[in-house]
Amino acid sequence: MPLPTKFLVIEGCNGVGKSTIVEYLKSRTGASSFHYPPQFVSFRREVHLDESVAPLPRLTYYLAATLHLSDLVRAHLAEGHVVCDRYLASPLSLMVAESAIEETEARNLIEPFAAYLRVPDLTLLLTAEHAVASARINRRALQSGKLTPVAQKMLESEEFFRKREDTSRRIAISLGPVVELNTTNLSPDEMRDSAWSMLAPELDW
């Protein structure tokens, strides 16, 4: 009898190693990997969602995208493991960190849809010191020639960075089990090894 497939979410602020871990887990386990739906990512960029849209419609767009992502996860779990680079905690923590909305208000607004979401079997929350995360963000920006508005906020404000991290933790815990890995002093290879050693026993991988 085949083992049940698992749904893992990788959460954390910019510059903590999410992409490194997701790509590794995808390669090692054969899991499907998702960010947010590409149609939403394009829409978010084109309408300047994080800069120009009022809090309530902005949250509604993010919620719709998360529900869509949940459907994609559910469908792919029929075939194998799924790893998501960000899930519900990401947009909520962003808006709370910006003081665009209070955390209690955000939770109340999404509560009617909570039962529809596919709950993660486990969330891995990655953390790092602000200075280290900032250096990683800057290196990536130099390589890509791009710096997103959210990444810019991370660089400018340690308070914003910490508030988002703390909110992500609380929201992830409200969805299910969470393990946490501080990547401050870890190389990419050490991140991969440490994440695997934490996740494999929890998920029976």
Side-chain angles (χ1 to χ4, degrees), residues 153-169:
K153 290 177 183 176
M154 294 284 181
L155 293 174
E156 292 172 351
S157 173
E158 182 173 358
E159 180 183 1
F160 173 84
F161 180 88
R162 289 298 169 209
K163 188 173 181 181
R164 190 176 189 193
E165 180 179 275
D166 291 342
T167 307
S168 290
R169 182 181 293 108

Side-chain angles (χ1 to χ4, degrees), residues 40-65:
F40 172 74
V41 174
S42 297
F43 169 80
R44 178 190 182 194
R45 181 175 58 251
E46 289 167 6
V47 303
H48 304 286
L49 183 63
D50 296 317
E51 300 83 50
S52 303
V53 178
L56 183 56
R58 181 182 171 199
L59 178 61
T60 304
Y61 281 126
Y62 272 124
L63 176 58

Side-chain angles (χ1 to χ4, degrees), residues 4 30 35 66 101 105 121 125 128 151 156 159 187 189:
H35 189 53
T66 305
I101 194 168
E105 182 182 5
D121 294 297
L125 176 65
E156 292 172 351
E159 180 183 1
S187 69
D189 283 344

Side-chain angles (χ1 to χ4, degrees), residues 125-182:
L125 176 65
L126 301 178
T127 66
E129 291 301 316
H130 179 252
V132 173
S134 295
R136 293 171 180 164
I137 292 169
N138 281 321
R139 282 198 300 271
R140 182 182 298 175
L142 286 173
Q143 293 168 355
S144 66
K146 296 183 293 184
L147 185 65
T148 67
V150 174
Q152 184 65 50
K153 290 177 183 176
M154 294 284 181
L155 293 174
E156 292 172 351
S157 173
E158 182 173 358
E159 180 183 1
F160 173 84
F161 180 88
R162 289 298 169 209
K163 188 173 181 181
R164 190 176 189 193
E165 180 179 275
D166 291 342
T167 307
S168 290
R169 182 181 293 108
R170 289 192 296 271
I171 295 171
I173 289 171
S174 75
L175 292 177
V178 176
V179 293
E180 193 165 327
L181 175 62
N182 188 319

